Amino acid sequence: MDTPSDIFQSRQYKYNRILLSLLGQWPFQKGRDRWTAFVAVMFIGITQFISQALALVTLRGDLDATLECVAPLLVNCLCVVKLTNLICNQKKIKILLMHIQRDWQSWIIDSEFEILYKFAESGRSITIRYASGMYAFGSLFPLLAIIPKIIGRNLISNYSTRPVGFPYHVEYFVDLNKYYYPVLIHNYLTTAIRLTIIVASDTCVIILVQHCCALFSVIRYRLEHIRKSVEQDKELAFLEEDEKIYKNFVYCIRKHEDAIQFANCLETIYKNALFVEVGLIVSMMSLSALQATTDTLTPQLAIRHGGYIIAQLIHLFIVCWLGQQIIDHSDRVYTSIYQSEWYESSSKSRKLLNMIMLRSISPCTLTVGKIMVLSLPSFSAVVRASASYFTVLRSVR
């Protein structure tokens, strides 16, 4: 490891560390382990991507089969975007993780520790729930495809590129009936890897956003509970009362600037990737809805496509919700100043509050390529856009 990372061995960050390590993208991972995991993931993923692209070429002219090929390929593209973003921004992500480590080592008052712990636990809880939901609903599509094979139904597939039990169309230019199980294992292993890439990338954003919100909450606590803060801060014990409050406000300014830089770094890391991701999600949801409304739909296919759509909605919602969290916590700093006992401080101290208020007028945000701010209203807007594209595709078909 490049730097001490004791906090990341704790229960709060354990799952995030494990998920990123499986992909070889944990910044503090040993070089050999990192490259071994990364090469294995890339080899399996690229071979699957090529086989699905070849199947798309093989099945051109068959609209239903083409739609079945396109949706998984879009998921592959989504995974490529997420993994590429992790690779290209690994140094920046490492800096943010080191920032988290530093904050856990340098808290001053007990209330700061409690706030950091609260948000870290929240990040852990969201990580577990999100991962469970994505693995559960994301696995429905491939797992339901293998059920007829498990229960021994003698079904005949209409396509040579997708024998019974195969979740996706693939073309290896070999006899898939002869090499049925090796290819099948490769398909399901790739499915697990794709889900892990999505979950690992998104849960990394979760813990970073939660810590960013914790930084803003520390500032708000210091502003709203001035007396308690200066009493708990042992470094201010020998100063006069007015000087204590002044030093407390200076600390708030530094922490506020720190939190803003953290949020801006997050924005820099994810804005371009989110632009592509949201576009892919809109396309995937529209195509999935189109497949789920075909005339030949069976209950089994309805469950498969339904799970697929729900997984996409969970993915989109969590990204928009995280953007809303940053907006809310950065915006509340302004309100916290009014709720504080600012009137009991000296004019010298009150002038410092103006600096925080001016900067808090514009809340921090996560954006989709600087085009759209991620928030809960954005979630409904993207879902409506997906529904509109689905209607267009439905009418064309």
Side-chain angles (χ1 to χ4, degrees):
M1 297 184 181
D2 299 329
T3 186
S5 51
D6 296 337
I7 187 61
F8 299 117
Q9 303 297 325
S10 66
R11 67 192 297 270
Q12 286 82 13
Y13 300 101
K14 179 178 70 174
Y15 296 115
N16 307 94
R17 173 174 54 81
I18 292 173
L19 286 166
L20 287 172
S21 296
L22 290 173
L23 303 175
Q25 295 306 309
W26 179 245
F28 307 118
Q29 199 172 357
K30 292 180 180 179
R32 183 187 301 175
D33 296 340
R34 179 187 303 173
W35 280 105
T36 301
F38 177 69
V39 170
V41 167
M42 289 298 292
F43 176 77
I44 297 172
I46 290 173
T47 51
Q48 176 75 353
F49 187 90
I50 293 172
S51 67
Q52 287 183 297
L54 291 173
L56 181 63
V57 175
T58 303
L59 296 167
R60 64 183 182 278
D62 188 329
L63 181 59
D64 291 332
T66 299
L67 290 175
E68 288 183 10
C69 288
V70 170
L73 275 173
L74 290 177
V75 177
N76 287 339
C77 293
L78 178 67
C79 293
V80 169
V81 171
K82 286 184 175 292
L83 191 56
T84 302
N85 190 59
L86 285 174
I87 295 168
C88 294
N89 293 289
Q90 192 174 83
K91 289 183 179 179
K92 292 180 181 178
I93 293 172
K94 183 178 180 179
I95 290 172
L96 293 183
L97 292 175
M98 291 173 68
H99 192 300
I100 293 174
Q101 174 73 19
R102 187 181 71 244
D103 290 334
W104 275 93
Q105 292 174 340
S106 62
W107 56 272
I108 296 177
I109 62 177
D110 292 340
S111 298
E112 283 187 39
F113 174 80
E114 292 170 3
I115 291 170
L116 289 175
Y117 183 83
K118 171 188 171 184
F119 278 90
E121 278 293 313
S122 175
R124 176 180 179 272
S125 176
I126 298 169
T127 293
I128 293 173
R129 294 176 184 177
Y130 178 72
S132 301
M134 288 299 292
Y135 277 116
F137 289 106
S139 298
L140 278 178
F141 190 88
L143 290 180
L144 286 176
I146 197 67
I147 289 179
K149 186 72 176 179
I150 294 174
I151 63 178
R153 285 187 183 178
N154 295 319
L155 299 178
I156 299 174
S157 175
N158 295 326
Y159 302 100
S160 61
T161 54
R162 188 166 68 83
V164 176
F166 276 55
Y168 318 110
H169 289 277
V170 289
E171 180 58 80
Y172 291 82
F173 293 107
V174 298
D175 187 348
L176 292 183
N177 291 319
K178 182 179 179 180
Y179 297 98
Y180 182 87
Y181 289 104
V183 177
L184 185 70
I185 292 171
H186 184 259
N187 271 250
Y188 282 89
L189 184 59
T190 308
T191 299
I193 290 174
R194 288 192 301 194
L195 284 171
T196 301
I197 291 173
I198 294 172
V199 171
S201 176
D202 290 345
T203 53
C204 180
V205 184
I206 287 171
I207 60 169
L208 293 176
V209 168
Q210 287 300 298
H211 187 78
C212 185
C213 294
L215 294 178
F216 285 115
S217 293
V218 166
I219 299 160
R220 291 175 52 221
Y221 180 87
R222 284 269 192 168
L223 292 170
E224 293 176 9
H225 305 89
I226 298 174
R227 298 294 178 186
K228 289 182 181 179
S229 298
V230 297
E231 287 174 5
Q232 292 181 40
D233 194 340
K234 296 179 181 179
E235 295 180 3
L236 307 178
F238 301 104
L239 299 176
E240 295 183 1
E241 193 66 22
D242 286 343
E243 192 65 20
K244 287 181 180 179
I245 295 175
Y246 181 82
K247 290 291 185 182
N248 182 62
F249 287 168
V250 169
Y251 181 80
C252 289
I253 290 174
R254 290 174 179 169
K255 278 290 182 182
H256 192 234
E257 183 63 29
D258 210 24
I260 291 171
Q261 289 180 0
F262 195 102
N264 289 340
C265 190
L266 265 176
E267 161 72 359
T268 302
I269 292 171
Y270 291 103
K271 63 180 180 181
N272 294 327
L274 287 170
F275 175 76
V276 182
E277 286 179 30
V278 171
L280 289 172
I281 289 172
V282 170
S283 302
M284 287 188 293
M285 290 178 63
S286 302
L287 287 173
S288 298
L290 184 63
Q291 288 180 279
T293 55
T294 58
D295 297 331
T296 58
L297 188 68
T298 63
Q300 183 182 358
L301 285 175
I303 295 173
R304 287 181 67 192
H305 291 301
Y308 198 59
I309 293 172
I310 292 173
Q312 292 161 10
L313 285 170
I314 293 173
H315 180 203
L316 177 63
F317 176 79
I318 198 69
V319 172
C320 293
W321 180 79
L322 291 173
Q324 186 69 53
Q325 288 289 293
I326 289 183
I327 293 172
D328 291 344
H329 282 84
S330 60
D331 186 55
R332 289 170 188 165
V333 174
Y334 189 92
T335 308
S336 295
I337 295 174
Y338 281 103
Q339 294 176 347
S340 67
E341 299 170 346
W342 57 268
Y343 46 84
E344 295 185 4
S345 61
S346 64
S347 58
K348 176 185 175 182
S349 299
R350 288 198 293 269
K351 289 178 181 178
L352 295 177
L353 294 178
N354 293 334
M355 299 172 64
I356 304 178
M357 291 177 70
L358 287 171
R359 184 59 186 86
S360 299
I361 292 175
S362 300
C364 298
T365 58
L366 281 178
T367 66
V368 179
K370 293 291 185 182
I371 296 175
M372 179 180 71
V373 174
L374 284 175
S375 61
L376 293 181
S378 301
F379 172 75
S380 60
V382 174
V383 172
R384 287 198 302 270
S386 301
S388 300
Y389 286 121
F390 159 69
T391 304
V392 172
L393 291 172
R394 184 67 176 167
S395 61
V396 171
R397 182 174 180 178

